[in-house]
Amino acid sequence: MRLPLQYQISEYDCGPTSLRNALMYLIPREEMPQELLIMINRLSLDGYHPHGTEMRMSTFGTSDDAMMRFSDCFNVIANQHELSLRSDVLLDDSLRTDNSILREALSKQGAVVSKVIMEVPHYVLLTGLHASRIQLFDPYPTDDPVPASRASVTGEHPYDYNVEVERSCMDRVDDHLWSFGPVYQRIALVFRRMAA
């Protein structure tokens, strides 16, 4: 049974919400390993400043380190449960819409949890790739869609996506809305379906 994708409940939980959405998108509810949900809760909202200074409470969301640790844990748990799924991490200049790993994942019903630029770095779930556009689910609920000339918002696909963004916009290396952003801060977890 598939479930509609979820929205975040605070200003900081885009990372764990996007990870849960990836699991909901990829794994039927009846087959969901509890360990994956436990690892999201243990690793995300880890309270680190972007420069690595540990804080008492997270005001920066989920660190890149936490995302990379989740990717490693995901692969171990997926292997134990024979899920035929694998997670890879794309960093820096390897995160582009023409990356072969990203393209393969999105063309074969995989998913990508990626940091994009909004007012601040923000995690979203990429679910589809077309010639010129990426389909993604933005977990940040808003009554006023963020304006962008190269993005369109929809409420018609609650199981798959709620935004479509032009690929050329996502590949920008500046702080443009919906872009992957400056190369040094790019990160994505690519969840690929493997041959059984």
Side-chain angles (χ1 to χ4, degrees):
M1 174 181 191
R2 287 188 68 197
L3 298 171
L5 301 177
Q6 299 175 347
Y7 289 91
Q8 62 193 78
I9 61 171
S10 77
E11 293 295 310
Y12 309 109
D13 64 319
C14 59
T17 302
S18 292
L19 290 173
R20 281 192 303 275
N21 282 339
L23 298 183
M24 290 173 18
Y25 183 79
L26 295 166
I27 305 169
R29 183 175 183 261
E30 308 79 34
E31 299 172 22
M32 183 71 65
Q34 181 180 8
E35 299 95 323
L36 288 174
L37 301 174
I38 291 168
M39 293 315 297
I40 290 172
N41 290 333
R42 282 189 183 160
L43 295 175
S44 63
L45 294 176
D46 53 336
Y48 283 84
H49 183 277
H51 298 294
T53 305
E54 191 167 352
M55 308 294 280
R56 295 182 75 195
M57 184 179 296
S58 177
T59 57
F60 298 97
T62 301
S63 72
D64 293 356
D65 287 342
M67 284 294 191
M68 289 185 277
R69 285 193 303 273
F70 179 79
S71 179
D72 292 339
C73 292
F74 178 89
N75 288 331
V76 170
I77 295 166
N79 187 47
Q80 290 170 345
H81 289 268
E82 300 177 352
L83 292 180
S84 298
L85 290 164
R86 173 175 173 76
S87 174
D88 295 290
V89 177
L90 297 180
L91 296 170
D92 305 328
D93 61 350
S94 67
L95 178 52
R96 300 179 314 276
T97 61
D98 66 353
N99 179 286
S100 60
I101 295 171
L102 183 144
R103 291 173 59 87
E104 175 192 347
L106 294 179
S107 68
K108 295 182 178 176
Q109 298 180 321
V112 178
V113 172
S114 179
K115 192 187 302 180
V116 297
I117 299 299
M118 297 310 280
E119 290 179 11
V120 295
H122 173 63
Y123 282 104
V124 298
L125 176 68
L126 284 58
T127 58
L129 174 70
H130 298 282
S132 64
R133 296 179 77 74
I134 296 271
Q135 294 170 331
L136 61 88
F137 190 88
D138 179 3
Y140 192 85
T142 180
D143 291 330
D144 300 315
V146 176
S149 60
R150 297 180 179 169
S152 59
V153 178
T154 177
E156 298 177 12
H157 306 278
Y159 295 87
D160 300 299
Y161 64 95
N162 60 8
V163 179
E164 288 187 296
V165 181
E166 287 188 19
R167 289 175 56 185
S168 60
C169 178
M170 294 199 79
D171 285 330
R172 291 179 62 139
V173 296
D174 56 9
D175 286 333
H176 191 273
L177 292 178
W178 300 109
S179 74
F180 291 132
V183 169
Y184 70 90
Q185 72 178 30
R186 291 182 175 199
I187 183 172
L189 275 60
V190 179
F191 296 93
R192 295 187 289 159
R193 296 189 183 276
M194 310 304 288

